[in-house]
């Protein structure tokens, strides 16, 4: 199986980040000097994806503007001789082919994915959640694409989490068939620690097959009145093999306040232009 297209759902309301998300999409919050979604798009490109569909919603125009060319700004920077800045801005406008579709009501991640059916057009596709950043030498979505190609099956990205946090995630019940690769037996959405079959949690990366669309159409709203992707994937398990792959890399849930702050500090420490100053500040006696 070869994956060429990616879908980035970015239509959620971001209630965990209120009040900033009242007027600003959480996918546009800055991690140092780039919006969150820039890192997500970059990961997809590094994995070889050349076609990206972003699911947007009300109040998300800033995302489209960010990836669009800005001729006025380019003209101004050229006039002022700001060559480095100009190069950066031009590169963002030319990153990859990006398409947009609007989810009119935030009815959940499953419903957002359903909006990709036409664009995906019967091909397997990658899904990268627009509020999860994963920093890794080997791009996280590429790690899943490698397994999907080899096993000819859908693959879900997972990470081990402390048992007291399983209630925040979809949890995998699976058999380990290779180091860090599980054949999935069942999926449970946000279980209590007592009912959780494991602490292997679904994080924001998937390689899916197009039969997921029919499964989603048959899925009734689950927890929180939203159409849950995990429920649809659970139903698909009856007819086909599916795998969960432990992703290597550092993940930041930037849709939460603590995750957002951690991402800014740690990613700034990886930047040559900032490392020294930020490290000095962090270690300073106060
Ligand atoms: P989250 O549950 O993290 O997003 O969904 P949310 O609903 O925006 O966040 P909170 O919990 O209210 O703070 C995971 C991903 O799915 C997208 C979100 O944009 C995010 O990337 N999503 C969620 C949609 O595209 N549509 C939806 O209806 C819900």
């Amino acid at each position: 199986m070869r994956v060429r297209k990616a879908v980035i759902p970015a239509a959620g309301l971001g209630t965990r980040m209120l009040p900033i998300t009242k007027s600003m999409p959480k996918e546009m919050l800055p991690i140092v000097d780039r919006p969150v979604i820039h890192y997500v798009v970059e990961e997809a490109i590094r994995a070889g994806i050349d076609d990206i569909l972003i699911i947007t919603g009300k109040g998300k125009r800033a995302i489209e503007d960010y990836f669009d060319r800005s001729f006025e700004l380019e003209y101004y920077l050229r006039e002022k001789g700001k060559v480095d800045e100009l190069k950066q801005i031009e590169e963002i406008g030319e990153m990859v082919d990006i398409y947009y579709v609007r989810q009119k009501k935030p009815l959940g991640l499953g419903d957002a994915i359903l909006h990709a059916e036409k664009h995906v057009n019967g091909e397997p596709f990658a899904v990268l959640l627009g509020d999860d950043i994963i920093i890794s030498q080997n791009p996280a979505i590429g790690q899943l694409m490698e397994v999907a190609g080899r096993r000819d099956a859908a693959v879900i990205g997972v990470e081990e989490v402390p048992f007291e946090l399983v209630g925040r995630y979809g949890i995998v019940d699976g058999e380990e068939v290779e180091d860090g690769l599980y054949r999935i037996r069942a999926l449970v959405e946000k279980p209590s620690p007592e009912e959780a079959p494991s602490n292997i949690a679904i994080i924001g990366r998937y390689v899916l097959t197009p039969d997921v669309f029919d499964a989603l159409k048959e899925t009734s709203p689950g927890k929180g009145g939203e159409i849950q992707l995990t429920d649809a994937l659970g139903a698909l398990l009856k007819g086909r093999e599916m795998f969960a792959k432990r992703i290597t890399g550092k993940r930041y849930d930037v849709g939460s306040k603590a995750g957002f702050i951690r991402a800014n500090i740690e990613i700034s420490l990886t930047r040559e232009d900032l490392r020294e100053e930020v490290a000095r500040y962090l270690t300073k006696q106060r």
Side-chain angles (χ1 to χ4, degrees), residues 134-282:
I134 305 178
I135 303 293
S136 175
Q137 195 69 341
N138 183 5
I141 196 66
Q143 298 173 32
L144 303 189
M145 285 158 61
E146 186 274 320
V147 178
R150 198 152 49 79
R151 296 269 181 171
D152 198 28
V155 186
I156 301 175
V158 291
E159 175 179 282
E160 282 179 42
V161 298
F163 260 99
E164 59 272 23
L165 298 184
V166 291
R168 294 188 191 170
Y169 296 89
I171 297 294
V172 170
D173 174 10
E175 171 203 356
E176 192 162 11
V177 289
E178 286 171 29
D179 185 28
L181 182 68
Y182 305 83
R183 181 179 290 114
I184 303 175
R185 278 191 288 257
L187 299 169
V188 196
E189 180 66 8
K190 303 194 170 75
S192 66
E194 298 73 44
E195 60 188 6
S198 75
N199 62 341
I200 301 165
I202 301 176
I203 54 175
R205 299 292 182 270
Y206 308 77
V207 170
L208 300 179
T209 44
D211 50 359
V212 73
F213 296 115
D214 284 337
L216 280 168
K217 285 175 207 159
E218 277 158 30
T219 303
S220 25
K223 288 205 171 154
E226 299 186 337
I227 298 175
Q228 301 289 352
L229 177 61
T230 310
D231 292 344
L233 295 176
L236 270 184
L237 277 172
K238 291 192 191 93
R240 53 155 51 246
E241 265 193 333
M242 204 181 290
F243 294 88
K245 164 98 175 94
R246 199 191 311 132
I247 285 178
T248 30
K250 183 99 186 93
R251 180 175 73 95
Y252 302 98
D253 172 11
V254 288
S256 78
K257 289 174 190 172
F260 169 74
I261 292 167
R262 202 173 323 125
N264 263 299
I265 295 172
E266 292 191 12
I267 292 177
S268 70
L269 289 171
T270 67
R271 288 265 303 246
E272 224 151 83
D273 55 337
L274 291 168
R275 182 185 301 138
E276 216 175 288
E277 198 176 334
V278 177
R280 202 178 323 120
Y281 170 74
L282 290 173

Side-chain angles (χ1 to χ4, degrees), residues 10 25 27-28 37 54 60-67 100:
E27 296 79 11
M28 287 303 293
I37 199 162
I54 300 182
K60 304 276 184 172
R61 266 260 326 265
I63 298 177
E64 291 178 50
D65 288 343
Y66 181 77
F67 289 110
Y100 300 89

Side-chain angles (χ1 to χ4, degrees), residues 9-17 26-27 55 103 105-109 112 129-131 226 255:
L13 294 178
T15 53
R16 285 171 297 157
M17 287 300 270
K26 65 175 166 180
E27 296 79 11
I55 316 289
Q103 183 192 25
K105 265 191 185 171
L107 295 176
L109 175 59
L129 296 196
D131 58 357
E226 299 186 337

